[in-house]
Amino acid sequence: MSELPEETGDARVDAVLAGLGRLSGLPVSDHVAVFEEAFSGLEAALGAVDAQ
């Protein structure tokens, strides 16, 4: 897997990316749930920007 950036400058996005670090310790069958969680977190961050 390619390396993720250490920081994006947005704490919400950084938290989502940090959560992806769990993937290496999980069976592949559990990866979908992690990706869905990340997608929801990124969607929420974008929604917060749109609301401003």
Side-chain angles (χ1 to χ4, degrees):
M1 184 154 98
S2 64
E3 292 202 23
L4 297 171
E6 290 185 26
E7 291 184 13
T8 64
D10 185 301
R12 297 165 294 197
V13 174
D14 291 341
V16 170
L17 293 179
L20 293 176
R22 299 180 302 164
L23 291 171
S24 64
L26 295 173
V28 173
S29 60
D30 292 342
H31 286 196
V32 171
V34 175
F35 286 127
E36 287 176 345
E37 182 181 310
F39 177 79
S40 294
L42 293 172
E43 192 172 46
L46 284 172
V49 170
D50 285 344
Q52 291 176 354

